């Protein structure tokens, strides 16, 4: 995923969502400060578990371990699919000037963020027994990873933190299909109906 993001930046040369933010020293500092905080907090399920003495690590194989692995894999597949589907959509000349509502983008307005949230939730669950071996505070601290990510994603998705919403409205605001998409599609975390719509087609319920 990192290599894909690097390739996308090199290909497009810039990210319009960051043009305003990075145009000032204060904006750039705030962006990189939040990025640093996100990177540190989001990795806590793994880094805190690594701090537990090896002798206290329970053997892999419990139902919770497999549940965490399944959540992680679901997140990885979702985020990868979201990035690739949107990239392919944007490269299609027939899609010029249109918003992306294909594939997993039917189940959420930001399925890539939802996938990332699943990834780190899965890592938290996968490390839960090891974290508990170190004490409940380890697990509570590690739980801040998906909580912080969810707050960050919803802050961006609602326009409270970035100009993402403003840019999207400027591009597609006059499109009635886009307005319907906003009205019927969950912001980040999909509903059962939107998942069904993405997988099987038809109307959201």
């Amino acid at each position: 995923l990192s290599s894909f993001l690097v390739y996308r930046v090199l290909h497009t040369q810039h990210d319009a969502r960051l043009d305003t933010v990075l145009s000032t020293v204060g904006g750039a500092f705030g962006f990189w400060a939040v990025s640093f905080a996100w990177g540190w907090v989001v990795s806590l399920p793994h880094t805190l578990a690594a701090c537990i003495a090896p002798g206290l690590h329970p053997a892999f194989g419990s139902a919770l371990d497999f549940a965490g692995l399944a959540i992680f894999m679901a997140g990885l597949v979702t985020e990868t699919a979201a990035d690739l589907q949107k990239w392919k959509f944007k490269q299609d000349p027939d899609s010029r000037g249109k918003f992306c509502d294909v594939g997993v983008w039917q189940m959420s307005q930001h399925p890539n963020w939802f996938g990332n949230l699943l990834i780190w939730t899965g890592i938290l669950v996968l490390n839960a027994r090891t974290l508990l071996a170190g004490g409940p505070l380890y697990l509570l601290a590690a739980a801040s990873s998906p909580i912080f990510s969810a707050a960050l994603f919803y802050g961006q998705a609602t326009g409270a933190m970035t100009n993402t919403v403003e840019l999207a409205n400027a591009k597609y605001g006059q499109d009635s299909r886009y307005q319907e998409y906003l009205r019927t599609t969950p912001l980040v975390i999909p509903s059962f109906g939107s998942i069904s719509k993405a997988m099987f087609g038809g109307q959201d319920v």
Side-chain angles (χ1 to χ4, degrees):
L1 291 177
S2 296
S3 60
F4 168 75
L5 293 176
V6 170
Y7 172 78
R8 186 179 70 178
V9 169
L10 292 176
H11 184 82
T12 60
Q13 299 298 312
H14 81 291
D15 188 332
R17 296 169 299 179
L18 300 178
D19 286 348
T20 301
V21 173
L22 298 180
S23 63
T24 64
V25 174
F29 176 81
F31 171 79
W32 290 113
V34 171
S35 297
F36 171 80
W38 178 79
W40 183 77
V41 173
V42 80
S43 64
L44 285 176
H46 176 72
T47 55
L48 287 177
C51 294
I52 306 299
L56 295 177
H57 288 214
F60 177 85
S62 72
L64 195 62
D65 294 334
F66 286 108
L69 188 59
I71 295 171
F72 171 83
M73 291 304 300
L76 184 62
V77 170
T78 301
E79 184 172 9
T80 302
D83 287 338
L84 291 178
Q85 287 172 354
K86 189 166 189 178
W87 178 258
K88 184 178 179 180
F89 181 86
K90 292 294 186 180
Q91 298 309 301
D92 185 351
D94 292 336
S95 300
R96 189 176 299 278
K98 300 178 181 178
F99 68 96
C100 181
D101 63 345
V102 300
V104 295
W105 293 86
Q106 297 176 78
M107 70 180 190
S108 166
Q109 294 178 37
H110 301 281
N112 50 337
W113 293 346
F114 173 62
N116 189 273
L117 191 57
L118 284 181
I119 286 175
W120 287 102
T121 299
I123 292 175
L124 172 65
V125 174
L126 192 57
N127 285 287
R129 292 197 302 145
T130 299
L131 291 164
L132 280 174
L137 289 180
Y138 277 83
L139 182 60
L140 288 174
S144 63
S145 169
I147 294 173
F148 183 86
S149 292
L152 187 64
F153 293 152
Y154 273 95
Q156 294 180 80
T158 58
M161 295 180 63
T162 66
N163 62 346
T164 303
V165 174
E166 181 183 346
L167 289 173
N169 285 334
K171 278 184 177 181
Y172 316 118
Q174 301 304 312
D175 187 339
S176 60
R177 288 184 61 252
Y178 179 67
Q179 295 300 329
E180 179 68 10
Y181 177 77
L182 295 182
R183 188 183 68 81
T184 60
T185 308
L187 200 56
V188 177
I189 299 177
S191 64
F192 176 80
S194 66
I195 293 174
S196 176
K197 178 181 179 181
M199 293 180 65
F200 307 112
Q203 295 297 315
D204 191 6
V205 294

